[in-house]
């Protein structure tokens, strides 16, 4: 699909949400002195119908993110022929690892070794390693998953040893801050942590509908966008 010209138009004047978001990502990247192609759009489809996902795929979107295994599996099965990539971004329960290891291409929300080891052992040998990001709890929120920043390096080292996984980078979601500067500072902390983890990491998964431009300014390579692409969710997601 050709999306070039849209990127140069006034993003907010574009009629469709997909074109508008693609253009806003490109604008944010250029404003940060970055190549727009260095930012991947992950369409977060939790709470959205199979038809809505199919429609976005028809516009050229390839990567989709889901938070709940039970909700995701029928979507993945129904759309299997489209060759989409599926990213698990929700809280990962140990009793759901086999489904995730079997049906997903990526996990963004790895936050403990026990779950990582299960995913690695359960990854079917016929598939490439499961691509993984470690989730970091950026603002010490008790309600959220993710490892504390001080524990990232140790978990990263352990995950690198697991043959069924390939560690790609870090994921984070800042607490809701009234001040954009505080959100941006949280993104900056994640970037610094990722750089400290080693040069083999190429993925910084950060930024959602409300703050992706700030995340791109701080180096996001993957932005996870739901409501700004699809509209409101059918049921509360997180
Ligand atoms: C729901 C969710 C998103 C998308 O949030 P929007 O505000 O709808 O863009 C991104 N990341 C994670 C981890 C989520 O749970």
């Amino acid at each position: 699909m050709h999306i070039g010209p849209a990127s140069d138009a006034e993003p907010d004047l574009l009629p469709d949400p997909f074109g508008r978001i693609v253009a806003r990502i490109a604008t944010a990247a250029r404003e940060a002195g970055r190549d727009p192609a260095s930012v991947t759009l992950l369409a977060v489809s939790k709470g959205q119908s199979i038809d809505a996902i199919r429609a976005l795929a028809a516009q050229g979107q390839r990567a989709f993110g889901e938070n709940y295994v039970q909700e995701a599996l029928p979507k993945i099965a129904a759309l299997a022929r489209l060759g989409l990539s599926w990213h698990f971004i929700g809280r990962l329960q140990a009793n759901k690892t086999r489904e995730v290891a079997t049906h997903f291409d990526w996990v963004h929300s790895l936050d403990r070794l026990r779950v990582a080891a299960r995913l690695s052992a359960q990854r079917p040998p016929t598939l490439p390693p499961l691509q993984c990001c470690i989730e970091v709890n950026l603002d010490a929120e008790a309600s959220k998953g993710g490892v504390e920043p001080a524990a990232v390096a140790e978990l990263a080292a352990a995950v690198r040893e697991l043959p069924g996984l390939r560690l790609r980078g870090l994921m984070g979601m800042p607490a809701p801050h009234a001040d954009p500067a505080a959100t941006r500072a949280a993104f900056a902390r994640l970037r610094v942590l990722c750089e400290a983890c080693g040069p083999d990491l190429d993925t910084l998964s950060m930024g959602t509908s409300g703050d992706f431009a700030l995340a791109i300014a701080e180096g996001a390579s993957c932005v996870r966008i739901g409501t700004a692409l699809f509209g409101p969710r059918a049921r509360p997601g997180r």
Side-chain angles (χ1 to χ4, degrees):
M1 183 193 149
H2 188 58
I3 49 179
S7 308
D8 294 294
E10 270 300 318
D12 293 338
L13 298 180
L14 293 170
D16 74 298
F18 178 64
R20 207 153 54 224
I21 291 297
V22 168
R24 284 175 62 197
I25 289 171
T27 300
R30 283 200 206 90
E31 281 173 5
R34 303 182 52 199
D35 178 358
S38 68
V39 183
T40 299
L41 170 58
L42 178 62
V44 175
S45 46
K46 66 169 173 233
Q48 309 293 349
S49 68
I50 289 170
D51 284 345
I53 299 170
R54 199 193 303 279
L56 207 58
Q59 289 189 277
Q61 177 62 26
R62 314 280 8 129
F64 291 85
E66 288 281 340
N67 291 58
Y68 308 100
V69 173
Q70 246 44 272
E71 178 189 338
L73 294 183
K75 296 176 176 179
I76 296 174
L79 300 169
R81 295 177 62 186
L82 298 184
L84 305 175
S85 79
W86 293 95
H87 298 233
F88 189 80
I89 63 172
R91 257 202 152 141
L92 200 43
Q93 295 163 269
N95 64 358
K96 295 280 166 50
T97 51
R98 186 174 296 282
E99 281 102 333
V100 171
T102 305
H103 297 288
F104 282 82
D105 304 288
W106 280 74
V107 169
H108 291 231
S109 44
L110 206 57
D111 66 358
R112 48 203 200 281
L113 185 55
R114 188 167 93 88
V115 161
R118 287 176 66 97
L119 287 170
S120 175
Q122 293 167 343
R123 180 70 168 172
T126 49
L127 295 177
L130 186 61
Q131 311 294 303
C132 290
C133 291
I134 291 174
E135 181 177 358
V136 182
N137 194 327
L138 287 167
D139 290 297
E141 290 177 280
S143 62
K144 249 187 221 157
V147 291
E148 58 173 307
V152 170
E154 190 184 337
L155 181 56
V159 170
R160 281 191 181 98
E161 300 299 316
L162 296 171
L165 308 186
R166 165 126 187 262
L167 183 64
R168 296 292 298 270
L170 303 184
M171 183 272 251
M173 188 144 81
H177 294 290
D179 179 6
T183 302
R184 182 162 177 169
F187 289 142
R189 290 200 298 280
L190 193 65
R191 171 174 48 74
V192 169
L193 262 176
C194 194
E195 288 163 359
C197 265
D200 58 323
L201 301 189
D202 62 7
T203 303
L204 201 43
S205 169
M206 60 186 194
T208 60
S209 290
D211 56 19
F212 67 85
L214 293 173
I216 289 169
E218 285 299 339
S221 68
C222 174
V223 291
R224 308 180 311 271
I225 301 183
T227 46
L229 271 177
F230 287 104
R233 286 183 269 278
R235 64 188 170 99
R238 58 175 204 247

